Amino acid sequence: MSGALQSSRAPLLTTYALLVYAFLYFPIVVLVVYSFNGSGVGGFPPSGWTFDWYRQLFADASLWDAVLNSFIVAAVAVAISLGLGLPAALALDRAQFPGKALFRRLVLLPLILPGIITGLSLLMLFVGVGMKLSLVTVTLGHGTALISVATTEIFAGLQKMDRAQEEASLDLGANHWKTFWRITFPNLKVSLIAAALLIFTLSLDEIAVTFFLIGRDNTLPLEIWSRLRRGITPEINAISTLILLFSISTILIWYRLRTRTQHAGESPAEAAMLPSSLEGEHS
Amino acid sequence: MNASGSPVPVERGPVEVLLSIQKVEKQFAGRPVLCGISLDVASGEFLTILGESGSGKTTLLRLIAGFEHLDSGEIRMAGERLDQIPAHRREVNTVFQSYAIFPHLSVFENVAYGLRAKSVARAEIPPRVTQALAMVKMSEFSQSAPSRLSGGQQQRVALARALVNRPRVLLLDEPLSALDANLRRQMQVELKSLQREVGITFIFVTHDQEEAMALSDRVALLRAGRLEQVAEPREIYGQPATAYAAQFIGQTNLLRAEVRDGIANAGPMAWPSAGPSGAATFSLRPEAIRLSSAPQGARPAGGTAHFHGRVQNQTFGGAMDLVEIDCGNSHILRARIPSPGPLVGQQEFEFAASDAVRVREGGGS
Amino acid sequence: MYSRAYKSAVTIPPLLWVTVFLLIPYAILFCYSFWTVAPLQVIVHNWNLHNYAQLFRNSLYLTVLLRSIRIAGAVTLLALLLGYPLAYYLSFHAAKRKDLLYQLVIIPLWASYLVRGYAWKTILGSDGVLNGFLQYLHITHRPVEFFLYSPFAVILTLTHIYTPFTFLPIYASLEHVPRNLVEASHDLGASPFSTFVRVILPLSLPGILAGATFAFVLTLGDFLAPLLVGGPSGIMISNIVVSLFGAAYNWPLGAAISLCMLLLVVSLLFATERLEKRFTI
């Protein structure tokens, strides 16, 4: 029945959907094409196939410093947000305490709140306690904002877990600590890896919070940002293409993990819903 | 509460009370789930807690396992307080309704889990696991991943995983409910013989009265958080204490009668009854009603009640036909009569007075 | 079944962190909005409503705020117009290609914000791809300046960025529409169109609400796209905040504006949450 329904033709709708895809992919394709364009950014048609921009890029030491900074910040942000997101998800799932509703809202707020507000209020905190702005403040900012991502991802994993498994473990004589490491943790492994990938990617791309908390050393997006203000060069197209490749591959891995754990009958959209709601940090 | 703590059957000889539940109360969010449950379970007994969904049977099981805390009352095992010990230190194991097999561990590791948790000597683990798997006929699946097992096989692993720890009490939470009818009957037989073999006390929770009858030494019937009756299957069927028990276990006719001077009257029927005078309810099993050869209008004599009624409906049922009898005044009785051939119009029926069992009406206590 | 120690161990650390790094900063933001800046850029802790009064007196702020709301509204509408049909197509007509097509929407979603913003800059610029193309076809002879640095450019860029966001919750809610309801509707004689209007659309309202909230809130708080492609006429409220925290150095006024934004966002979230609950069966 549903097969008959689904195969019903809708030429107009199909065309429209194709146009939306074209709109979504057009800028990305342009970006990639012009990263190989001999005559620089812009102009039509692109002319002169070249790898010069990539060559320039690889020789650009300050850019690579920024890449390294970004990787360090992202790695520590993953540690912070998972380290706190895991207990937060466990608390939301299984503890009752006064102010739980407020706690939930507060943890999840950075998901949807424009990054500027998170960034600004953290700036005021750090300045207030006399902390110098540096990669440390950036990392703390990323870690804090991304706890929301970790919490939702892990919480979703907990919800899918059969609670009877933990009861069975206790029943068989393992205490709470052993039960956590032998049953709960292995059950959450995929959620944790997926969350880590997601947080890493989001942190690498973060600008709004970073914008306010950055000191002398730049992260990659801010390095690009400061160059953009000086004018655009195909070198930026080249680095953008590489960033694109990197985020596409992490997201594909993440998506695989996510769909592998999803229950039968659950749509991939459902599996992807939660993290996607978290992209608030981007703007 | 006449039912609670009723004596363990005599023919079992002197038995030791292993698990003693005393006046247990439990509420969830202000809603009472268990009200004053008292129940003794003997060592080596197969006890079934029978009840509809929402009767509190699983909650009672979880209290014994230690997954819930009781509000008041106490649970003792061999005389010592059990309810204050955390779940992981109780000598009680559970077979879960969903089996709760750990998906990331092999069958062997699932069964070894409890032994490892209790730090049983390393060398002792493999033989015990092997033995437990053999007991449930799952030896060949030792290294399999749980995801490759069928529901019935997972069930067996769950059983082995619990029994390998040699618990004093094994709790089974509707373990057969997910199996199809054939497998279910087969598992019932195996479960019963397994229990005899290991001699461990089984407390089995189910909503299926046939299953309860087939398996148990005793059945504890739970209704809305109260014990309705605790008795052996034959007794609970033959001598139901309450109208609910009579209706829940098997089919029955409930006769609203008036007892006067040792005679119970219900519509066209009358039979001797020893109980006190006044309004009373009797349970009369359909198979207790027979076709009568006695003359019409015979009064109670020799402990047999006679009545006549019009056959309203007759359903062929193989060895027994189900016959609906209209006795007038909207008294409809259902009878199960061995191959009577087609019955038409007015007929004479009878039943033994001792088959009309006086039961209590209303709530559990 | 979990012990008190277990519950404390999982509750206290995140609770402390969130208090220090989210609750206290919001409280500081709140306090700042009632303080003022004295000459020599000293922040004076005298509590008053001066900043808020200024917001209403100075027409610049209101103008920009209204423009931001207009831009956010336009982006939301466009993202819905692009995202809904796409989601509907995937959910009801894509059949076997569903998974692949779904991943194709996810990829631009995760492609870096900066990368996508930058891509539009290269397309719309005066010596950009679009102008090059138009001149190549001899439609125009001089670069068209108004593509870039206009509210139009901001709307276009942000629509591109937030369409996949809007798509996701809509798609999820469409996937949740029980197919037998659709079949029942056909069976009862409803045309495909009236089935859509009377069954599918109402059941996907929670997704529409969630998607619209994403697009609106995120656009409203955006300050990068206006800097990248907006120019002076594309300035949005967050840009004012950024400049107040930067060159203009008036943190209290910036805090007051941020707090207004925060309140706006939170009340919007609250409202949509209520609405979603009402529409969810």
Side-chain angles (χ1 to χ4, degrees):
Chain A
M1 270 309 285
S2 68
L5 249 177
Q6 291 192 340
S7 64
S8 61
R9 278 199 204 100
L12 248 149
L13 188 64
T14 311
T15 317
Y16 191 87
L18 279 175
L19 286 174
V20 177
Y21 276 111
F23 171 66
L24 290 179
Y25 276 90
F26 170 65
I28 296 173
V29 171
V30 167
L31 188 91
V32 175
V33 167
Y34 278 83
S35 74
F36 297 104
N37 185 21
S39 54
V41 187
F44 191 89
S47 56
W49 182 263
T50 178
F51 283 102
D52 279 358
W53 310 118
Y54 288 89
R55 218 165 288 136
Q56 250 180 49
L57 180 69
F58 282 102
D60 190 333
S62 64
L63 204 61
W64 290 105
D65 284 346
V67 169
L68 184 66
N69 289 341
S70 270
F71 272 88
I72 294 170
V73 168
V76 182
V78 166
I80 292 175
S81 50
L82 286 187
L84 291 152
L86 176 61
L90 288 167
L92 288 179
D93 188 49
R94 42 190 68 169
Q96 295 301 328
F97 51 92
K100 184 174 172 178
L102 179 70
F103 173 70
R104 181 201 303 273
R105 280 169 197 276
L106 213 53
V107 170
L108 300 186
L109 198 56
L111 281 184
I112 182 79
L113 203 62
I116 181 171
I117 296 177
T118 313
L120 274 180
S121 32
L122 279 170
L123 171 68
M124 293 172 154
L125 174 77
F126 292 138
V127 169
V129 298
M131 236 172 123
K132 240 185 103 197
L133 294 183
S134 66
L135 289 179
V136 175
T137 49
V138 171
T139 311
L140 285 172
H142 284 198
T144 303
L146 294 168
I147 291 174
S148 51
V149 180
T151 307
T152 25
E153 280 279 285
I154 298 167
F155 187 75
L158 278 173
Q159 295 277 298
K160 282 179 198 160
M161 188 179 153
D162 180 11
R163 188 70 62 88
Q165 278 191 39
E166 284 172 289
E167 289 179 352
S169 168
L170 292 172
D171 186 76
L172 292 167
N175 61 25
H176 280 291
W177 182 245
K178 280 185 189 167
T179 299
F180 179 80
W181 286 112
R182 291 191 190 169
I183 305 300
T184 320
F185 193 74
N187 264 290
L188 290 179
K189 210 160 66 188
V190 177
S191 299
L192 285 166
I193 296 171
L197 277 174
L198 205 56
I199 292 164
F200 195 84
T201 319
L202 288 172
S203 168
L204 278 188
D205 191 37
E206 216 294 326
I207 314 179
V209 174
T210 320
F211 190 88
F212 293 96
L213 302 180
I214 197 77
R216 245 180 3 163
D217 301 311
N218 265 345
T219 59
L220 181 61
L222 281 205
E223 178 69 29
I224 297 176
W225 180 255
S226 64
R227 287 171 190 229
L228 275 181
R229 317 210 68 179
R230 279 181 252 141
I232 52 179
T233 72
E235 202 189 334
I236 298 178
N237 286 51
I239 184 79
S240 298
T241 305
L242 293 184
I243 294 173
L244 202 61
L245 273 178
F246 184 83
S247 35
I248 289 174
S249 37
T250 20
I251 286 322
L252 286 182
I253 298 172
W254 165 80
Y255 182 80
R256 282 282 143 78
L257 282 171
R258 217 31 224 231
T259 39
R260 215 180 65 192
T261 49
Q262 86 191 23
H263 283 191
E266 189 185 354
S267 68
E270 200 171 331
M273 256 313 285
L274 288 159
S276 64
S277 58
L278 317 178
E279 245 205 314
E281 302 81 28
H282 271 219
S283 50
Chain B
M1 201 88 222
N2 77 326
S4 62
S6 70
V8 173
V10 211
E11 68 270 18
R12 293 169 66 90
V15 283
E16 152 210 359
V17 171
L18 178 66
L19 195 73
S20 173
I21 299 166
Q22 292 299 326
K23 300 198 182 79
V24 161
E25 307 265 346
K26 177 72 185 169
Q27 298 197 335
F28 283 125
R31 199 173 52 85
V33 178
L34 293 174
C35 319
I37 300 288
S38 294
L39 177 67
D40 284 345
V41 185
S43 187
E45 186 179 9
F46 196 128
L47 177 90
T48 297
I49 301 171
L50 175 65
E52 299 169 321
S53 59
S55 60
K57 56 189 191 306
T58 297
T59 305
L60 184 55
L61 201 74
R62 292 170 62 83
L63 282 170
I64 301 170
F67 305 138
E68 309 286 353
H69 300 287
L70 39 77
D71 296 340
S72 69
E74 56 178 51
I75 302 176
R76 288 177 181 274
M77 178 140 76
E80 288 183 27
R81 279 299 277 272
L82 185 71
D83 52 271
Q84 287 160 346
I85 300 174
H88 64 273
R89 280 198 243 120
R90 298 189 186 191
E91 286 178 278
V92 170
N93 286 118
T94 309
V95 175
F96 290 81
Q97 185 171 14
S98 61
Y99 314 140
I101 301 295
F102 306 130
H104 58 296
L105 301 178
S106 68
V107 167
F108 184 94
E109 280 305 320
N110 261 282
V111 178
Y113 190 93
L115 301 176
R116 295 201 199 284
K118 284 192 280 289
S119 309
V120 167
R122 243 168 205 290
E124 210 184 308
I125 293 175
R128 276 179 72 173
V129 171
T130 311
Q131 188 203 352
L133 284 173
M135 202 159 62
V136 297
K137 307 191 182 86
M138 286 293 287
S139 305
E140 56 186 308
F141 295 98
S142 175
Q143 293 312 317
S144 303
S147 57
R148 318 203 63 146
L149 302 183
S150 69
Q153 289 167 332
Q154 290 197 19
Q155 157 93 72
R156 287 163 189 271
V157 175
L159 209 53
R161 185 177 71 178
L163 285 173
V164 76
N165 305 292
R166 297 174 190 154
R168 301 184 74 169
V169 176
L170 183 73
L171 306 174
L172 302 103
D173 186 5
E174 306 222 18
L176 308 181
S177 61
L179 305 180
D180 64 49
N182 278 332
L183 196 53
R184 196 175 170 135
R185 267 190 291 279
Q186 184 194 334
M187 279 306 292
Q188 284 176 5
V189 175
E190 284 193 41
L191 211 54
K192 183 76 197 164
S193 63
L194 195 65
Q195 194 257 343
R196 290 217 185 89
E197 187 184 322
V198 295
I200 291 172
T201 305
F202 276 32
I203 299 182
F204 186 95
V205 159
T206 185
H207 64 268
D208 179 338
Q209 46 104 4
E210 278 179 43
E211 193 164 276
M213 295 286 137
L215 287 171
S216 332
D217 294 327
R218 278 195 309 156
V219 175
L221 180 63
L222 202 58
R223 178 196 188 187
R226 293 173 200 276
L227 278 175
E228 195 83 0
Q229 188 172 12
V230 184
E232 286 176 66
R234 270 176 215 291
E235 185 189 340
I236 210 169
Y237 185 83
Q239 300 290 317
T242 65
Y244 178 81
Q247 281 177 307
F248 191 76
I249 293 165
Q251 283 188 318
T252 200
N253 296 294
L254 285 181
L255 306 176
R256 264 92 195 170
E258 190 67 28
V259 181
R260 214 173 300 121
D261 307 326
I263 303 288
N265 282 286
M269 290 158 280
W271 64 94
S273 169
S277 297
T281 305
F282 289 82
S283 156
L284 181 65
R285 298 287 180 194
E287 63 272 19
I289 299 174
R290 305 181 292 262
L291 281 169
S292 169
S293 49
Q296 247 187 18
R299 298 311 295 168
T304 306
H306 296 266
F307 66 96
H308 61 260
R310 200 172 53 80
V311 174
Q312 197 181 45
N313 209 337
Q314 182 176 6
T315 314
F316 178 67
M320 301 272 241
D321 279 14
L322 182 64
V323 181
E324 276 178 31
I325 308 160
D326 182 356
C327 315
N329 296 332
S330 72
H331 277 273
I332 308 284
L333 289 186
R334 279 180 299 174
R336 243 175 237 290
I337 299 173
S339 333
L343 299 171
V344 209
Q346 293 283 331
Q347 297 281 342
E348 285 299 309
F349 298 95
E350 63 176 28
F351 59 87
S354 58
D355 283 335
V357 179
R358 192 164 176 164
V359 294
R360 280 180 292 113
E361 279 276 11
S365 54
Chain C
M1 101 183 226
Y2 303 100
S3 63
R4 187 166 292 235
Y6 182 98
K7 288 176 184 170
S8 323
V10 297
T11 309
I12 292 169
L15 205 57
L16 279 179
W17 184 283
V18 163
T19 306
V20 172
F21 289 102
L22 286 174
L23 196 59
I24 293 179
Y26 292 149
I28 298 176
L29 186 77
F30 182 78
C31 293
Y32 258 95
S33 75
F34 295 100
W35 295 340
T36 37
V37 187
L40 296 174
Q41 306 196 327
V42 179
I43 286 161
V44 192
H45 297 189
N46 56 342
W47 300 81
N48 59 62
L49 290 169
H50 181 75
N51 297 316
Y52 293 95
Q54 209 180 330
L55 283 186
F56 289 98
R57 238 175 318 179
N58 191 335
S59 66
L60 169 74
Y61 301 120
L62 273 180
T63 313
V64 176
L65 182 66
L66 285 178
R67 180 196 297 151
S68 309
I69 290 175
R70 267 205 312 276
I71 290 179
V75 169
T76 306
L77 195 67
L78 285 172
L80 284 177
L81 285 177
L82 294 177
Y84 196 99
L86 187 65
Y88 182 81
Y89 172 77
L90 250 68
S91 186
F92 286 92
H93 294 278
K96 277 185 213 140
R97 288 157 301 170
K98 208 175 194 169
D99 247 20
L100 174 73
L101 288 176
Y102 176 77
Q103 294 203 32
L104 280 178
V105 186
I106 293 265
I107 288 170
L109 174 72
W110 294 113
S112 159
Y113 174 98
L114 197 56
V115 168
R116 286 181 289 165
Y118 170 72
W120 282 107
K121 194 181 172 81
T122 66
I123 292 168
L124 299 173
S126 57
D127 51 356
V129 180
L130 184 58
N131 268 315
F133 181 67
L134 291 176
Q135 285 172 47
Y136 175 76
L137 293 180
H138 299 288
I139 293 172
T140 57
H141 302 282
R142 223 166 287 115
V144 179
E145 298 289 349
F146 65 78
F147 289 147
L148 198 59
Y149 303 128
S150 64
F152 160 77
V154 175
I155 292 172
L156 185 67
T157 305
L158 290 178
T159 301
H160 180 251
I161 289 171
Y162 295 128
T163 295
F165 275 91
T166 324
F167 162 87
L168 270 188
I170 295 175
Y171 178 70
S173 69
L174 284 174
E175 285 287 275
H176 272 145
V177 174
R179 291 315 193 246
N180 59 8
L181 292 187
V182 178
E183 284 163 11
S185 169
H186 287 307
D187 186 69
L188 295 168
S191 68
F193 179 74
S194 88
T195 299
F196 173 74
V197 172
R198 293 167 64 188
V199 178
I200 300 172
L201 191 62
L203 290 176
S204 60
L205 267 177
I208 297 178
L209 276 173
T213 313
F214 276 137
F216 190 85
V217 168
L218 295 180
T219 306
L220 197 66
D222 203 287
F223 64 96
L224 297 159
L227 287 178
L228 214 55
V229 297
S233 63
I235 287 290
M236 288 174 52
I237 192 74
S238 299
N239 296 95
I240 292 189
V241 176
V242 170
S243 73
L244 286 171
F245 271 81
Y249 198 77
N250 189 342
W251 284 25
L253 186 57
I257 299 177
S258 309
L259 204 72
C260 290
M261 276 169 63
L262 184 67
L263 282 179
L264 191 67
V265 168
V266 169
S267 43
L268 201 66
L269 288 180
F270 184 73
T272 46
E273 201 173 296
R274 291 285 297 272
L275 276 175
E276 264 177 64
K277 269 195 196 126
R278 247 183 63 195
F279 286 124
T280 311
I281 27 158

